[in-house]
Amino acid sequence: MQSRRCADPHLVRIDAKRWQGPLFYPFRCSYIAWNRDIMSFYKYKDIIEEGDFVLAFIGRGNLKHITVTPGSVLNTRYGSFEHERMIGMKFGDQMSGARGVGFIHLLHPSPELWTISLPHRTQIVYTPDSSYIMQRLGVTTGTRVIEAGTGSGSFSHSFARTVGSEGVLFSYEFHEPRFLEAKKEFQEHGLLDVNTLITHRDVCNGGFEIESIPERFSSDCKSVNADVVFLDLPSPWTAIPHLQKVIAKRSRVGICCFSPCIEQVEKTVKALQENGWSSIEMVEVAGKRWEARKEMVKDISDVVKRLKDIQSRKSQGIENRRHAKVVGEKREISEVNDEDSGSEPKKFQNLGKGFNPFGKGLRVKEGDDQWTWTNVTKIEADIKSHTSYLTFAYMNPNVRIAEFPKQTTTNESS
Amino acid sequence: MSETPDPSPNVTPAFKAENEVFAPKSSTIISPNQFAFVRLPSEGMKIVELKPGGIINLGKFGAFAVDGVLGYPFGQTFEILDDNQVTPIESITYEADISEDVELSEGGAEAAGPELTKDELTKLFTNSSENNQNIINIGSSIQKLSSEEIDSLKKSGASSDFGQKIIEQIIAGHAGFDKKTIFSQQKYLKRKQQKFLRRFTMEYLGSSQLLKYYIEKDSQRVLDMSEETLGLLLNYANVRQGGRYLLVDETGGVVLYAMMERMKGQGTIVVAHDNEHPNHIALRYSNYQPSMVEDMVKPINWLQFMEPENERIDWVTATEDELNDMKFAKRQQYERRSKRAQEVNSVIDQVTTGNFDAVIVVSTLNLPSLVPHLIGTVGGSRPIVLYHQYKESLLDTQHSLSNDKRVLAPSIFETRVRPHQTIPGRMHPVMSMRGFGGYILWATRVFPKEGGVTAVGRGVSKKKKDEEAKVEEKDVVMEEAKDDKA
């Protein structure tokens, strides 16, 4: 669904080599002019226009990302949807299929919806983990963040959204094909235009320093000067010694290392200690989704009543005849004689076959008004029982960095 | 300096942080006239106000002069010296260093077995993070201590190595200490450190710290919300710079503060509340200028929200002549009323215009009856995020929303963080943690197609064959398709 212009590997490759240079901007603008206004991850818009980035909600957990391009069609198992018809519709609109059958919803991208729909290049950081890391490390508008590696870019979108136009996301990816894909994706999503700088680098060997940071991304000291570091690397302990040169010197810096194995945590903790990080703590995040379901209320007295009913019908020979038929065969209501009209009508679902309080043999839809239900929650069938260990730590400058005029003379500090 | 000092909105901080136009407070440097969060060795916490020239009392951990901590970055740990002075140190406890040194001296895997002698412990102390001070002299002071003796030690005055001295002497006086395993020795040491070390960490009072403070103090005030759940709420609600949100916040403003922090003063939060005035008591610690809060936070009570046309104030602007005729007091009253009318009408306009970037509800109100009134105010494709401390309330809400076609894919989420003992070689989850934390319902606001749609589902091909039955079956098929999607 993406534009061919941007998919041209040649363009992207040249672009990748030149991204730091001053030539980069005019070059880039020339071929992305068609979607330069895309700000999907920084603010909402209401009406869908040509070139917009849309998430088509097909079903729970099934979202397709498309760039609205006249002439293109989104084909799903729920029908075909022409892009042309989307133009002028509202974000959030329900759209019916080409032949009037089937529907999708046209959603505006957000980092959380993107996380559900994105193409996996690597294991991704899911929302329960990413949201906790952000909250714990105090990521807000204006925070300068290091992220290595970029991976599938799920967390990158979330970081980029939260740090906003005043913050910066420095993202590093050592795997070249992944880097190129991520860079293209960030370009298309407008991240590179606002606050994100992606670098092709093996930070474990090459460190984090960036030679020429575009002016709009540089802080006062013309360096990365990160407030928060997130390391999702196979061996974070080899990258930790390189951090000293790129983290903020005048404020506390928080770090989170994301590793699936406990052995990695061990090495990471030691490296953090050796490099002066403190308040080291490892945690795990368990995220769960609960489904809202309904459970039929089956009263014991109805069970007893039914057994008695079977007994009495047996003695009358009715039960034997019943067995001659297929149990639970679905029949239209009109076909069935109302033999037991004198009893509680609600519980006689399969009229003509005795007292059937729980709809035995019928296809009972959960929540059907004819029965009594209680609301219950059921945990999703597959839970993520382990994503990764999150090792947090802080680096304090341990020096006084500002003087305030004394208002009293009683306490002299050293 | 008390634990819950009066808010002092009129104090203008002498320090003005760079690039913080709306929030003239620092989130990185310990600055005067600002509230800050203090962590104690006991894992206790306090909120203090940093009045220049003031003394802050930390109870048994001592007292310190505010001037001594100003100018350091937030996150700095200090040790209390004589005369309320402080010195910066690297860590509030020694825990991490102990394991390291034990491994050095005894060799990795065997570290768990052998006992730790007093001499080694002494070495641990001196090799600890506070290596700028040579403070332990164990050989000279072995003695058994009674509680009276400990008390008199405490009274003997604050000196830099006061805490360590006491711990040292207690250990020395502990006849069975050598017989303890290294694990229990460390546990013992940690307990004593928590009791006697005169240290504290001065942290920035961010939303996580504020939430932790309330959780410790009275978790019901924040409706049992945990830090991880707050983070999940803010991310699902897509809270960011420049956003426009509708918020129901019964945590006294903790969620509001968290949103303001993320947005850094840029954007609008309309807060619906159930009294005459909103309860934003937590904001008194925020150090936000009242003007900045006014710019960003627009309160509306439920009566105004539910009956906007009745509650809109018909305001007749006085003519120039009328204004000139007014006496001073009358004129003031006029100005006040005029301002209020404008505020009320403007927030009513905000709600009737709707199109909010998210609605966030953290409330004890009955959600199935409340939420339908809020959905219409949310813009297309924007999130609806509901918090409740009980899953059952969200369950009922989700069931009630499942028939509301303005809401797409509501789901209940739970997130729990499990902390671990983080010592190399002895990693394991801690033995106990808080059990609660609340639940989040996340959904997306959508616009159902007018006149309905025919869904693809079981029975569709059959339906094509039987055109007559199509109309009757339509609803059933819709339901089935919905099941498929659910």
Side-chain angles (χ1 to χ4, degrees), chain A residues 324-381:
Chain A
K325 297 175 184 173
V326 179
V327 177
E329 188 190 9
K330 202 181 172 190
R331 303 158 88 191
E332 294 296 326
I333 294 288
S334 55
E335 289 178 36
V336 183
N337 295 326
D338 193 354
E339 290 174 24
D340 304 89
S341 53
S343 312
E344 301 163 61
K346 235 190 149 185
K347 307 272 167 128
F348 286 76
Q349 294 307 320
N350 206 5
L351 299 171
K353 288 179 187 171
F355 181 65
N356 188 5
F358 312 133
K360 223 173 184 164
L362 290 173
R363 215 171 86 189
V364 177
K365 200 179 155 332
E366 195 174 304
D368 189 323
D369 285 345
Q370 297 179 83
W371 285 273
T372 314
W373 302 87
T374 182
N375 289 348
V376 290
T377 50
K378 184 177 180 178
I379 196 155
E380 58 187 325

Side-chain angles (χ1 to χ4, degrees), chain A residues 122-135:
Chain A
T122 58
Q123 176 66 267
I124 69 166
V125 184
Y126 288 99
T127 302
D129 284 303
S130 61
S131 61
Y132 176 66
I133 293 164
M134 279 193 169
Q135 180 63 29

Side-chain angles (χ1 to χ4, degrees), chain B residues 311-316 341 345:
Chain B
E311 293 302 305
R312 199 182 291 277
I313 297 172
D314 281 327
W315 183 253
V316 184
N345 290 346

Side-chain angles (χ1 to χ4, degrees), chain B residues 16-242:
Chain B
K16 191 161 163 41
E18 297 159 54
N19 303 328
E20 288 186 356
V21 183
F22 287 97
K25 64 166 181 173
S26 177
S27 58
T28 57
I29 301 167
I30 303 172
S31 305
N33 298 309
Q34 199 168 311
F35 287 98
F37 181 77
V38 172
R39 270 185 206 280
L40 301 168
S42 59
E43 287 167 18
M45 48 196 86
K46 268 191 162 191
I47 291 177
V48 298
E49 191 177 14
L50 302 169
K51 295 262 192 212
I55 305 284
I56 289 174
N57 194 343
L58 300 177
K60 67 179 177 185
F61 299 105
F64 66 93
V66 169
D67 291 346
V69 301
L70 296 178
Y72 284 94
F74 277 116
Q76 182 66 52
T77 299
F78 298 94
E79 174 128 41
I80 297 178
L81 310 174
D82 298 321
D83 300 329
N84 300 332
Q85 294 304 294
V86 294
T87 184
I89 56 170
E90 280 180 19
S91 170
I92 201 156
T93 60
Y94 300 111
E95 202 172 16
D97 299 312
I98 288 171
S99 69
E100 211 177 51
D101 288 354
V102 167
E103 279 183 341
L104 281 177
S105 59
E106 310 202 354
E110 290 177 11
E115 293 163 8
L116 187 68
T117 66
K118 285 176 196 165
D119 281 354
E120 278 168 322
L121 200 72
T122 311
K123 204 174 84 192
L124 299 185
F125 272 116
T126 45
N127 285 344
S128 74
S129 52
E130 197 190 354
N131 46 17
N132 56 342
Q133 290 177 317
N134 193 7
I135 45 174
I136 303 297
N137 184 9
I138 193 169
S140 64
S141 56
I142 295 177
Q143 58 180 293
K144 274 200 186 281
L145 294 183
S146 66
S147 60
E148 287 78 21
E149 283 169 316
I150 293 174
D151 281 344
S152 68
L153 254 177
K154 278 186 186 171
K155 285 172 194 154
S156 70
S159 64
S160 63
D161 56 353
F162 165 82
Q164 289 90 329
K165 261 185 188 161
I166 291 186
I167 295 169
E168 186 52 46
Q169 293 186 21
I170 288 171
I171 289 172
H174 191 307
F177 191 79
D178 286 349
K179 296 181 181 66
K180 283 174 181 279
T181 65
I182 185 164
F183 299 110
S184 59
Q185 281 176 345
Q186 284 181 358
K187 272 184 191 154
Y188 185 82
L189 182 63
K190 193 178 176 195
R191 273 207 309 277
K192 296 303 162 197
Q193 284 179 355
Q194 289 180 343
K195 210 168 166 185
F196 295 112
L197 281 185
R198 311 191 56 163
R199 300 177 166 194
F200 65 94
T201 304
M202 184 70 72
E203 283 190 23
Y204 172 64
L205 184 59
S207 56
S208 282
Q209 287 80 3
L210 189 59
L211 182 66
K212 272 192 187 131
Y213 174 75
Y214 279 117
I215 288 171
E216 280 299 309
K217 214 174 158 190
D218 177 10
S219 67
Q220 193 49 44
R221 276 178 70 174
V222 289
L223 306 180
D224 278 356
M225 185 187 284
S226 64
E227 184 184 11
E228 54 269 33
T229 306
L230 175 62
L232 193 66
L233 179 146
L234 295 172
N235 274 30
Y236 273 149
N238 205 3
V239 173
R240 60 191 167 193
Q241 176 187 23

Side-chain angles (χ1 to χ4, degrees), chain A residues 404-410, chain B residues 11-14 32-33 51-54 67 70:
Chain A
F404 294 97
K406 293 260 164 55
Q407 300 199 358
T408 60
T409 54
T410 47
Chain B
V11 178
T12 310
N33 298 309
K51 295 262 192 212
D67 291 346
L70 296 178

